[in-house]
Amino acid sequence: MNDMQTQNDYNSFLAEIKQQIKSSQIRAINSVNKEMILLYFRIGKSINQKQKELGWGAKVIDNLSHDIKSAFPELGGFSVRNIKRMLRFYKEYTQPFEKVPQAVAQMEDEIMPPIVSQIPWSHNVILIEKIKDADLRYWYMQKTLEHGWSRDVLALMIQSQLHKREGKLVSNFKNILAPQDSDLVQQSFKDPYLFDFLTIAEPFLERELESNLIKHMEKFLIELGSGFAFVGRQYKLEVGEDDFYIDLLFYHLKLRCYVVVELKKGKFKPEYSGQVNFYCSAIDGILAHKEDKPTIGLILCQEKNEIVAEYSLRNMSQPIGISEYELTEILPKEFESSLPTIQMIENELKHSLNTMEKEDD
């Protein structure tokens, strides 16, 4: 066996061991998180029982917080606020969700959906505080596990009401893609997309919108959703002897395909579908590998007529979706004149200081 083969064998062996270590670390973290969630649930249950049996009031939580911190000074998570959350946590999950699978985790005489213990405590706190509907909360739990959302991303998705936007775009996916793929692709896109991290004032050009999205690529990718990898801006395609430029090109790691994104200012026009159909076909023929699935087109516009959008896609050969996008609301012109100028603010400040000096005298 030559040295190169030996090195290759070792590298493969090392990669296998590293993967085993990572998997073990993930299992250990999940195990610790589950134990902590169950502990908090039981503490909440115990407090609830004592308050009912002995008539203890909220003061018991203050005492518990103080005494637990004294007994375990190195242990965090037992502030008054967090213990109150434990009590609420228990009360929230004494009954299973209506739409949760029947398999549940039995904890003494109480029932808690097993998915709850798979979510970090900080995520559970956000879900309880932000969402009252139990079934909607479960939906966001599933998405958190599916996409690996951080606490901040989860809060952002709840605030932007992702559940009302996911999979809502007009598309021809069902007509073009295989049945096992079309639903997954549909749910991977939204309508509308919220670009509230941009502050572009009207009038603006499509190229300005594109530039600003590139500047805020991290937030743009979060809004697009998990799986999108940025490939290029104004991506050049040489077809025949002509050059064509795609606004934004991505590769979707989960869908295993390229995604062409065309940004349009104003209202959707039927000819946009033909343009994106051509781009997707060209990407499939020039750039995509044999293992890649068909390139998907996404047209982003400020406004669309649903019926016009549907008709425009009827005879397209490539999978295309049409969504709207929303920018940060700009203060209307008629209100701008009512805002104080810097000079006005400075004058008012001087007047206030003079008044205070006279009162002191």
Side-chain angles (χ1 to χ4, degrees):
M1 184 178 296
N2 59 42
D3 292 342
M4 182 175 293
Q5 183 62 46
T6 301
Q7 185 63 43
N8 290 339
D9 290 341
Y10 175 76
N11 290 340
S12 299
F13 175 69
L14 177 61
E16 180 182 341
I17 296 298
K18 288 166 67 177
Q19 183 58 47
Q20 291 178 5
I21 293 173
K22 289 180 181 178
S23 298
S24 178
Q25 289 175 328
I26 292 173
R27 288 195 297 270
I29 292 172
N30 289 339
S31 178
V32 170
N33 177 73
K34 181 178 180 179
E35 286 301 318
M36 185 179 72
I37 296 297
L38 296 181
L39 172 63
Y40 287 176
F41 185 90
R42 295 189 179 106
I43 290 174
K45 177 182 178 180
S46 298
I47 295 172
N48 184 69
Q49 287 179 335
K50 292 301 180 183
Q51 287 181 330
K52 285 184 177 180
E53 294 170 1
L54 304 177
W56 289 354
K59 186 66 176 178
V60 65
I61 294 179
D62 295 339
N63 294 337
L64 273 176
S65 177
H66 177 270
D67 293 337
I68 291 174
K69 287 179 179 178
S70 297
F72 304 96
E74 75 288 351
L75 193 62
F78 286 94
S79 64
V80 171
R81 184 180 183 185
N82 211 39
I83 295 178
K84 287 180 178 178
R85 286 170 171 165
M86 296 176 199
L87 177 59
R88 182 178 176 183
F89 180 65
Y90 165 76
K91 292 179 178 179
E92 289 283 347
Y93 295 120
T94 52
Q95 297 297 325
F97 299 116
E98 293 180 6
K99 299 178 182 178
V100 176
Q102 292 301 310
V104 292
Q106 188 72 33
M107 299 170 54
E108 299 178 14
D109 60 334
E110 303 296 346
I111 294 175
M112 183 180 73
I115 192 173
V116 175
S117 63
Q118 299 175 39
I119 304 294
W121 175 246
S122 60
H123 291 58
N124 271 302
V125 170
I126 290 176
L127 289 163
I128 290 175
E129 293 180 347
K130 301 288 186 182
I131 304 176
K132 293 182 179 180
D133 181 78
D135 295 322
L136 181 58
R137 192 185 298 162
Y138 173 66
W139 187 89
Y140 276 99
M141 286 181 180
Q142 288 181 307
K143 293 298 177 182
T144 296
L145 292 177
E146 179 183 347
H147 301 297
W149 287 340
S150 68
R151 179 182 182 276
D152 291 340
V153 171
L154 171 61
L156 181 63
M157 294 305 167
I158 294 174
Q159 182 181 352
S160 67
Q161 296 187 307
L162 176 65
H163 62 283
K164 293 183 178 181
R165 301 186 292 126
E166 186 177 87
K168 303 300 183 182
L169 77 171
V170 174
S171 76
N172 62 356
F173 298 151
K174 287 187 177 181
N175 299 331
I176 302 295
L177 301 173
Q180 64 269 24
D181 295 331
S182 61
D183 287 343
L184 176 59
V185 173
Q186 183 75 22
Q187 297 305 312
S188 298
F189 297 91
K190 310 168 188 173
D191 188 24
Y193 285 87
L194 305 182
F195 299 152
D196 53 1
F197 49 87
L198 303 181
T199 53
I200 305 177
E202 291 280 7
F204 63 87
L205 302 174
E206 291 173 359
R207 192 60 61 88
E208 291 180 76
L209 174 62
E210 179 185 311
S211 298
N212 276 271
L213 288 173
I214 296 299
K215 289 179 183 177
H216 298 83
M217 181 54 70
E218 183 177 358
K219 294 180 179 178
F220 184 28
L221 288 173
I222 289 175
E223 176 59 12
L224 284 177
S226 63
F228 282 87
F230 181 57
V231 177
R233 168 193 181 188
Q234 289 299 308
Y235 192 88
K236 182 180 177 181
L237 285 176
E238 296 182 9
V239 182
E241 297 182 355
D242 295 326
D243 294 336
F244 299 90
Y245 297 87
I246 297 173
D247 286 349
L248 300 170
L249 183 62
F250 295 86
Y251 189 86
H252 201 288
L253 301 174
K254 293 183 178 180
L255 301 179
R256 309 306 299 178
C257 67
Y258 285 97
V259 179
V260 168
V261 176
E262 279 296 302
L263 303 170
K264 301 298 182 182
K265 187 178 183 301
K267 193 173 182 178
F268 171 78
K269 297 178 182 179
E271 55 263 33
Y272 297 160
S273 297
Q275 176 189 13
V276 172
N277 191 79
F278 168 75
Y279 287 160
C280 291
S281 180
I283 289 290
D284 283 341
I286 299 172
L287 192 61
H289 295 282
K290 292 181 180 180
E291 296 79 12
D292 290 332
K293 294 188 176 181
T295 299
I296 297 170
L298 176 62
I299 302 171
L300 295 178
C301 54
Q302 288 178 289
E303 182 185 352
K304 71 176 183 298
N305 181 298
E306 299 278 334
I307 298 177
V308 172
E310 289 175 2
Y311 272 112
S312 75
L313 296 177
R314 183 163 293 186
N315 294 318
M316 295 295 117
S317 60
Q318 303 296 320
I320 299 172
I322 304 170
S323 296
E324 295 179 353
Y325 63 85
E326 296 179 5
L327 302 173
T328 302
E329 293 185 5
I330 304 299
L331 194 66
K333 291 288 184 181
E334 57 268 27
F335 293 113
E336 288 185 359
S337 59
S338 64
L339 292 175
T341 64
I342 294 177
Q343 185 63 44
M344 292 169 62
I345 294 174
E346 290 178 346
N347 291 338
E348 181 64 27
L349 181 59
K350 290 179 181 178
H351 175 73
S352 299
L353 290 174
N354 291 334
T355 302
M356 291 174 61
E357 289 176 357
K358 289 179 181 180
E359 289 176 352
D360 291 339
D361 292 341

